Amino acid sequence: MTLLRRAVLLLVLAICAGSVAAQDADLPPLSHDTEQAPVHPRQTLDDILKRQDGIADPRQPRDFTTEAERALPAHTQLGTLGGVSDAEVWDALRFGTAEVKVSAGGPQARVVIQNGGMDWLKLRRGPLATYGGWLLLGTIAVLALFFLVRGRIRISHGWSGIRILRFTAVERFFHWLTAGSFVLLALTGLFTLFGRKTIGLLSGTGDPQTYDSARAAYAAMAHYSKWIHNNVSWAFMLGLVFVFILWVAHNIPNRLDLVWFAKGGGIIGNGHPPARKFNAGQKIVFWSVILLGASISVSGLSLLFPFEMPLFAATFAKLNALGVPGWFGLAPFPDQLAAQEEMQYAQLWHAIVAFVLMAIILAHIYIGSIGMEGAFDAMGDGEVDLNWAREHHSLWVEEVEMEDPGFRRARASPAE
């Protein structure tokens, strides 16, 4: 009886083996014809990245020719697994219709594939990068055109040779702390958004070996860029707080600002309207830095701590309660967001506000450097020429003269 069972088992195994061999024989052999070759089932991360950047043809089978590649176990490959019916499973997971059972974590833990990430990626690579880039380039172009037409704003009465203290060492320190950290944040933020394009620029002809070297260089730059961006942000936020404390009293709007705007700030036309320590244009820069900088900081903190500082679900809930979406004929905003969705909203807001502030700061840098004679001295050594001060901040000079009689004597009888 035992021999009979063994014989039957061997017969079944033989039939199964023959069936598998017949199915393999019916499969078309892999061809290197790029028009007909199927995608090789073994795919590494390197293959996927090259296809995304247009370096490799997705229809061309991958040849694992090196010993290191052939030695890789199957589970390390990023190819498809299972049969064709898996497509329905992945669709259900992607669109949230699959029944995923979890022991803890609530609804967020059931998110296996967050489909909204594709919408975020399209916005980030499309409108955000495109319009943000054009905003910065357009700002630079407008400033260059303005410089060609208006030229440098000169001191009308020339240099007096008398210096007046405008900003103390403490004021200058926190100004440069805020300004320097913002420049680093802007550069690293732009690299995070546009940096992957440097792979194509560095690789040149698209040669695979050159591409690998370019990708390695980009990976190193992206790593350090992220580290700088995350850590320099603390310096920016510290500077923001002290800049507010030091100068908020001088930046309260008043009626003099209306006169300043009416006369174009002296930039358009002749003569400069009276102003105290900060004129209306400088107040706009101040409040832009404070308000937009604070918004960027809060959204950045939300990106660093998405589980501890979710922002948008609560904000959307308040806006829905006020009926704001209905004002514009929109559906209610989503007020139940997973951590991934919170980060996507925060990243988009972070970048949009940062682009606006970068454009404003470009104009500020222009005026404080090549755009206006004598302006840089205020944040250089802290002292400005008396004639410059009287032309741009006449009321402030009068206040200094009233508070410091010694300055009046020094002005009347300069040492040189």
Side-chain angles (χ1 to χ4, degrees), residues 27-66:
L27 291 175
L30 285 176
S31 169
H32 287 278
D33 182 1
T34 58
E35 293 298 325
Q36 299 177 355
V39 178
H40 199 288
R42 296 179 68 197
Q43 302 178 63
T44 64
L45 178 60
D46 180 77
D47 300 323
I48 295 171
L49 291 175
K50 285 182 178 179
R51 286 203 309 275
Q52 290 179 350
D53 286 331
I55 302 299
D57 190 337
R59 297 168 298 180
Q60 182 71 27
R62 176 75 156 88
D63 291 327
F64 288 83
T65 55
T66 66

Side-chain angles (χ1 to χ4, degrees), residues 22-243:
Q23 290 179 5
D24 290 341
D26 291 336
L27 291 175
L30 285 176
S31 169
H32 287 278
D33 182 1
T34 58
E35 293 298 325
Q36 299 177 355
V39 178
H40 199 288
R42 296 179 68 197
Q43 302 178 63
T44 64
L45 178 60
D46 180 77
D47 300 323
I48 295 171
L49 291 175
K50 285 182 178 179
R51 286 203 309 275
Q52 290 179 350
D53 286 331
I55 302 299
D57 190 337
R59 297 168 298 180
Q60 182 71 27
R62 176 75 156 88
D63 291 327
F64 288 83
T65 55
T66 66
E67 291 294 333
E69 289 177 328
R70 283 197 293 269
L72 288 174
H75 69 272
T76 64
Q77 306 300 322
L78 300 180
T80 57
L81 300 176
V84 293
S85 61
D86 286 350
E88 297 179 2
V89 177
W90 288 114
D91 279 346
L93 291 171
R94 176 180 177 184
F95 296 106
T97 59
E99 303 225 354
V100 180
K101 295 183 180 180
V102 295
S103 58
Q108 294 183 0
R110 297 191 185 95
V111 178
V112 179
I113 299 176
Q114 200 255 315
N115 188 59
M118 296 306 299
D119 296 329
W120 165 79
L121 185 62
K122 290 177 182 178
L123 284 172
R124 184 177 182 273
R125 289 182 174 179
L128 178 63
T130 301
Y131 296 136
W134 279 116
L135 174 63
L136 298 185
L137 293 176
T139 301
I140 294 172
V142 169
L143 292 174
L145 180 62
F146 181 80
F147 182 77
L148 292 175
V149 174
R150 177 67 169 83
R152 196 177 196 194
I153 301 171
R154 301 289 181 179
I155 301 175
S156 302
H157 296 86
W159 298 89
S160 68
I162 302 172
R163 308 283 285 176
I164 178 173
L165 180 65
R166 179 148 173 80
F167 294 114
T168 64
V170 172
E171 290 176 306
R172 297 198 307 277
F173 172 80
F174 283 108
H175 168 272
W176 287 116
L177 177 68
T178 309
S181 58
F182 181 77
V183 169
L184 280 175
L185 291 170
L187 292 176
T188 52
L190 290 172
F191 184 80
T192 301
L193 183 60
F194 296 103
R196 189 170 174 180
K197 297 183 183 297
T198 59
I199 298 177
L201 296 175
L202 294 174
S203 61
T205 60
D207 175 69
Q209 187 173 358
T210 307
Y211 172 83
D212 289 340
S213 300
R215 186 161 59 83
Y218 162 73
M221 290 188 290
H223 169 75
Y224 290 109
S225 178
K226 181 179 183 296
W227 187 91
I228 292 171
H229 197 87
N230 290 349
N231 290 279
V232 171
S233 61
W234 304 108
F236 175 73
M237 288 185 278
L238 178 66
L240 207 63
V241 171
F242 278 92
V243 163

